[in-house]
Amino acid sequence: MPHRRIHHPAPADTPLTRALRDLRIESHVPPDFPPDVAAEAEAAAKTPTLPDRDATDIPFFTLDPPASLDLDQAMYLTRASAGGYRVLYAIADVSAWVHPHSALDEEAHRRRTTLYFPDTRVPLYPPQLSEAAASLLPDQPVPALLWQIDLDSTGTVKTASVERALIRSRARLDYETAQRRIDENTAEEPLALLRDIGLLREEQERTRGGLSLGVPEQEIIRRNGRYELEYRAQLPAEGWNAQISLLTGTVAAELMLQSGTGLLRTLPTATPAAVDALRRTARALDVEWPRDSEYADVVRSLNPQRANHAAFLQQCTTVLRGAGYTAFEGGAPADRLHAAVADEYAHVTAPLRRLADRYAGELALAACAGTEPPGWVLEALPALPEEMAAGAREAARLERQCVDLVEAALMSDRIGEVFEGQVVDVAKNGRGTVQLYEPAVIGRLDPAGGGAPPLGQRVEVRLTAAEPGVSPVRFESAATTAAGRSA
């Protein structure tokens, strides 16, 4: 999943869309699936492996952005005895369609993850599966991994299990519709309980020291021939939905740890250097960060409706660096915590978009049943962390380049203008990085005769270059330029 969600709803022929298309070509991002993979997907869509249990009587619903078709998850929430709750969470069973060492499987190992661009997405699996047969779209029976998680009245897990089942979603909801129904008290109980359970799990997260960023979506639009940047803050329902996914990931990790074989998602604690860099960004964006306040406290105090707070939340993703996967057999590993979750955690809820989730789902199934994991899973397990790391590096590189292109488009008609910013980084070659306050853009500051300004210094800079696909955002010191003209 992308750290920074950027959307560009533009016609096919704009400077930005041309630059994004060129980026995909230069990076050898596959535009289509090979013929043998597409043919296998067509055949697999007609002949899934069906599970023994039929759970199509449960009225599941999905909750996703309105345009999404690759629906990994569906839920049904009910009240339980003694004031508790039952979470039934269905996850698309990719193994019902994709068989080990098949053309589909080998292509998934090459792609590793769905890639997200501002103007499109490049899927992990062919659309015949990911957006049709294997997706939990309403009113079609689909094989799934069905989780049952019972919570007490405080949201604490009492019991959890997972099995294969055939399910059928009844409703496809988007976040705005769900939020409106919850706020207006018109939601039926399974949806209304999303707020109750979500709030309880958010409190559990705060208590254990975890943190969900809730990064706003950036939308770059072309209006009157000029690019403009808008932020869309997450709705509460999006956070509550994410809590159900996090809950499932933590119980999956616990099952695997108890069995001694598994695949965890891990993240080290943010380094002091990363936090210091984030403090400088906060100062540049006029975000208040009291000296005695922790990073998590600052994030929770932010209002993503404010542009500078939304921009700061985008930059908070930098402290997530170092995330990876830990595979283990024969006992629990030493490296097992995810710092942002503040708990053991596994990726199991997005198998249509991440390769690792298919394997982690199989490991959780085996752990719950008390059986040995399938041979094809154990065979692939040792190499999965590096496979996913390579995929993550490529996704991060493309994401960073997309941000550069978007920011260049945003600034392309402002060459020569002077902006106020702050130096947030200085490289060994003397080249600095400046974070502007408005617009919240980051750019390279070319060193003047005396070198780059000190780290953390407020500066006035003049924009010298910004053109999508030609030059990223670049600045020079406005003071130096003015002095040169005076001389």
Side-chain angles (χ1 to χ4, degrees), residues 237-475:
E238 294 178 71
W240 302 332
N241 187 49
Q243 287 296 327
I244 302 297
S245 179
L246 285 168
L247 166 66
T248 308
T250 58
V251 298
E254 184 176 356
L255 279 172
M256 288 187 278
L257 286 165
Q258 290 174 353
S259 75
T261 303
L263 181 66
L264 301 180
R265 180 64 167 167
T266 54
L267 176 69
T269 303
T271 65
V275 176
D276 286 345
L278 200 58
R279 280 185 179 273
R280 292 192 292 272
T281 301
R283 287 196 295 270
L285 292 172
D286 280 348
V287 172
E288 185 176 355
W289 189 331
R291 186 174 297 275
D292 58 348
S293 292
E294 297 293 331
Y295 157 70
D297 298 327
V298 175
V299 171
R300 293 192 184 102
S301 72
L302 298 176
N303 177 4
Q305 300 288 351
R306 297 174 56 181
N308 62 323
H309 285 198
F312 180 68
L313 276 169
Q314 295 282 345
Q315 295 305 315
C316 284
T317 60
T318 58
V319 302
L320 301 179
R321 289 172 182 162
Y325 290 87
T326 297
F328 60 97
E329 292 183 67
D335 182 13
R336 53 197 286 181
L337 286 176
H338 191 291
V341 180
D343 204 347
E344 290 96 2
Y345 176 62
H347 272 163
V348 292
T349 62
L352 294 176
R353 291 169 281 166
R354 284 188 303 244
L355 173 66
D357 295 44
R358 171 159 57 109
Y359 289 87
E362 293 290 337
L363 290 164
L365 280 166
C368 186
T371 59
E372 184 77 4
W376 61 270
V377 173
L378 294 177
E379 176 187 349
L381 188 58
L384 274 173
E386 180 49 40
E387 278 188 84
M388 296 305 297
R393 286 192 296 269
E394 178 65 0
R397 182 187 70 81
L398 290 169
E399 184 176 292
R400 179 63 251 174
Q401 289 189 271
C402 285
V403 171
D404 287 346
L405 292 174
V406 165
E407 292 185 342
L410 185 67
M411 303 293 283
S412 59
D413 61 350
R414 305 185 71 172
I415 304 297
E417 288 188 36
V418 174
F419 301 88
E420 183 181 354
Q422 187 166 25
V423 180
V424 294
D425 190 31
V426 177
K428 291 181 179 179
N429 62 6
R431 181 172 288 139
T433 301
V434 171
Q435 168 77 62
L436 301 189
Y437 175 73
E438 177 59 39
V441 165
I442 292 177
R444 180 184 301 166
L445 176 61
D446 292 324
L455 193 63
Q457 181 173 313
R458 286 272 184 178
V459 291
E460 285 193 337
V461 293
R462 189 180 309 277
L463 180 65
T464 60
E467 185 177 354
V470 177
S471 173
V473 173
R474 297 182 70 164
F475 301 106

Side-chain angles (χ1 to χ4, degrees), residues 18 64 105 216 355 379:
R18 289 196 295 271
D64 295 274
D105 183 41
L355 173 66
E379 176 187 349

Side-chain angles (χ1 to χ4, degrees), residues 61-342:
F61 65 90
T62 59
L63 186 55
D64 295 274
S68 294
L69 292 174
D70 53 341
L71 310 185
D72 294 285
Q73 311 126 11
M75 71 181 80
Y76 182 70
L77 311 175
T78 60
R79 296 187 184 277
S81 60
Y85 305 90
R86 171 163 289 177
V87 175
L88 294 176
Y89 202 41
I91 308 299
D93 185 3
V94 174
S95 295
W97 319 88
V98 179
H99 303 299
H101 309 300
S102 63
L104 272 169
D105 183 41
E106 291 176 359
E107 181 67 15
H109 277 269
R110 280 190 289 270
R111 296 185 176 225
R112 306 181 187 97
T113 184
T114 293
L115 294 174
Y116 295 86
F117 294 86
D119 59 335
T120 191
R121 51 186 288 280
V122 179
L124 174 62
Y125 295 105
Q128 301 98 310
L129 295 179
S130 61
E131 297 181 2
S135 176
L136 305 187
L137 294 164
D139 299 321
Q140 67 173 12
V142 187
L145 272 58
L146 178 53
W147 289 86
Q148 178 176 305
I149 307 172
D150 288 338
L151 309 174
D152 67 16
S153 59
T154 70
T156 301
V157 177
K158 295 169 60 180
T159 62
S161 62
V162 60
E163 63 179 323
R164 285 193 156 92
L166 193 69
I167 70 106
R168 182 163 66 92
S169 174
R170 300 294 200 278
R172 177 183 169 196
L173 302 179
D174 61 77
Y175 292 117
E176 289 190 4
T177 300
Q179 190 69 58
R180 183 176 65 253
R181 291 181 183 177
I182 292 171
D183 290 345
E184 294 175 352
N185 294 319
T186 59
E188 295 182 2
E189 183 176 81
L191 175 60
L193 288 177
L194 179 64
R195 174 176 53 192
D196 298 352
I197 296 171
L199 290 173
L200 288 172
R201 294 302 302 176
E202 286 176 346
E203 180 58 33
Q204 292 270 340
E205 181 179 68
R206 282 190 291 270
T207 299
R208 67 175 185 266
L211 178 66
S212 296
L213 283 179
V215 178
E217 181 177 293
Q218 291 176 292
E219 184 169 48
I220 184 164
I221 57 176
R222 195 166 174 85
R223 183 180 290 133
N224 299 323
R226 181 175 184 175
Y227 288 108
E228 298 179 10
L229 184 65
E230 296 180 351
Y231 290 97
R232 187 191 69 80
Q234 280 196 12
L235 295 169
E238 294 178 71
W240 302 332
N241 187 49
Q243 287 296 327
I244 302 297
S245 179
L246 285 168
L247 166 66
T248 308
T250 58
V251 298
E254 184 176 356
L255 279 172
M256 288 187 278
L257 286 165
Q258 290 174 353
S259 75
T261 303
L263 181 66
L264 301 180
R265 180 64 167 167
T266 54
L267 176 69
T269 303
T271 65
V275 176
D276 286 345
L278 200 58
R279 280 185 179 273
R280 292 192 292 272
T281 301
R283 287 196 295 270
L285 292 172
D286 280 348
V287 172
E288 185 176 355
W289 189 331
R291 186 174 297 275
D292 58 348
S293 292
E294 297 293 331
Y295 157 70
D297 298 327
V298 175
V299 171
R300 293 192 184 102
S301 72
L302 298 176
N303 177 4
Q305 300 288 351
R306 297 174 56 181
N308 62 323
H309 285 198
F312 180 68
L313 276 169
Q314 295 282 345
Q315 295 305 315
C316 284
T317 60
T318 58
V319 302
L320 301 179
R321 289 172 182 162
Y325 290 87
T326 297
F328 60 97
E329 292 183 67
D335 182 13
R336 53 197 286 181
L337 286 176
H338 191 291
V341 180

